[in-house]
Amino acid sequence: SAVISQKPSRDICQRGTSLTIQCQVDSQVTMMFWYRQQPGQSLTLIATANQGSEATYESGFVIDKFPISRPNLTFSTLTVSNMSPEDSSIYLCSAQTGSGNTIYFGEGSWLTVV
Amino acid sequence: RKEVEQDPGPFNVPEGATVAFNCTYSNSASQSFFWYRQDCRKEPKLLMSVYSSGNEDGRFTAQLNRASQYISLLIRDSKLSDSATYLCVVNLNTGGFKTIFGAGTRLFVKA
């Protein structure tokens, strides 16, 4: 298994500002991902954080809006740029590891944009 | 057709009831299967992996039917604390691993 720590756990931000979320895994993992889950909705994959190279973004998500860093095998950051109220959501960091490539999640970062 | 489909519910059951959730997946390249539990305003947490031979963990039993591309989760003797959303999750290997989450089935267990 993997223990994943995210911070901040929650924040209230002004529109037009940016927020960086940090994710730390307690072991080296090959695959890390960032998800978004809006209230009452299912998980949406934002991107795969690739170590040492640019993240791979899903349709509808772009690097300018959601820049991601992955400097090593245990750490990643997601920045939500130029925020608007529509960005209010929970952002979840996850890592894939173990037999069967199980996904483990951090506790999430609750973002409210006002 | 969605890659992973679940009945969204909600399922409203009394304590002690047995409840079953179903999930179908469309891609035959699916390789591994899981059920996750997500409490309100919390992150999803792994409940159990699903194996072709079926597997049981206490009151929870998961089964996989590869021929029908169907996964199930059975909860016996439901507790109030079982109230949550249950997510069906499938890993595909199509040249690289891809994880697909179902939208979840909401369960309410009532006293």
Side-chain angles (χ1 to χ4, degrees):
Chain A
S1 67
V3 176
I4 302 174
S5 303
Q6 268 185 251
K7 60 181 181 181
S9 58
R10 59 181 64 246
D11 208 340
I12 300 173
C13 301
Q14 295 288 329
R15 67 178 67 199
T17 62
S18 298
L19 177 73
T20 295
I21 303 167
Q22 298 181 9
C23 176
Q24 179 75 53
V25 188
D26 68 340
S27 58
Q28 293 187 339
V29 293
T30 304
M31 306 293 284
M32 291 183 73
F33 307 92
W34 287 96
Y35 287 83
R36 181 170 75 180
Q37 187 174 33
Q38 294 179 309
Q41 303 296 314
S42 59
L43 292 162
T44 300
L45 179 63
I46 298 172
T48 301
N50 300 310
Q51 194 268 329
S53 64
E54 193 172 286
T56 303
Y57 289 85
E58 297 299 305
S59 174
F61 298 96
V62 295
I63 188 171
D64 290 345
K65 177 67 176 177
F66 297 101
I68 288 171
S69 78
R70 176 91 190 272
N72 56 51
L73 293 176
T74 64
F75 186 79
S76 178
T77 67
L78 168 73
T79 299
V80 185
S81 303
N82 189 24
M83 288 183 285
S84 66
E86 292 71 34
D87 294 321
S88 298
S89 183
I90 178 171
Y91 291 86
L92 292 155
C93 172
S94 69
Q96 192 167 41
T97 187
S99 61
N101 291 290
T102 307
I103 295 269
Y104 295 92
F105 288 90
E107 292 183 340
S109 298
W110 289 90
L111 173 62
T112 301
V113 184
V114 297
Chain B
R1 182 185 174 189
K2 293 181 182 176
E3 290 184 276
V4 175
E5 290 204 68
Q6 295 182 248
D7 182 342
F11 285 61
N12 294 288
V13 303
E15 272 188 294
T18 295
V19 61
F21 303 140
N22 301 322
C23 170
T24 58
Y25 60 95
S26 60
N27 195 322
S28 58
S30 301
Q31 288 201 335
S32 49
F33 309 87
F34 309 88
W35 283 101
Y36 280 71
R37 170 195 171 125
Q38 186 173 24
D39 292 289
C40 188
R41 300 178 71 80
K42 297 284 189 180
E43 79 278 17
K45 292 185 178 178
L46 178 66
L47 180 64
M48 58 197 306
S49 302
V50 187
Y51 304 115
S52 296
S53 55
N55 49 300
E56 186 174 306
D57 182 2
R59 298 182 293 107
F60 298 84
T61 300
Q63 291 194 311
L64 166 65
N65 184 321
R66 286 188 182 270
S68 302
Q69 298 186 179
Y70 168 97
I71 305 159
S72 66
L73 176 67
L74 183 76
I75 305 175
R76 291 180 300 279
D77 187 22
S78 298
K79 312 292 185 190
L80 294 176
S81 58
D82 293 334
S83 298
T85 298
Y86 292 83
L87 305 171
C88 173
V89 181
V90 173
N91 276 343
L92 305 178
N93 189 352
T94 54
F97 265 100
K98 180 179 178 183
T99 300
I100 310 294
F101 285 82
T105 298
R106 192 76 174 91
L107 171 66
F108 293 98
V109 181
K110 305 169 294 184

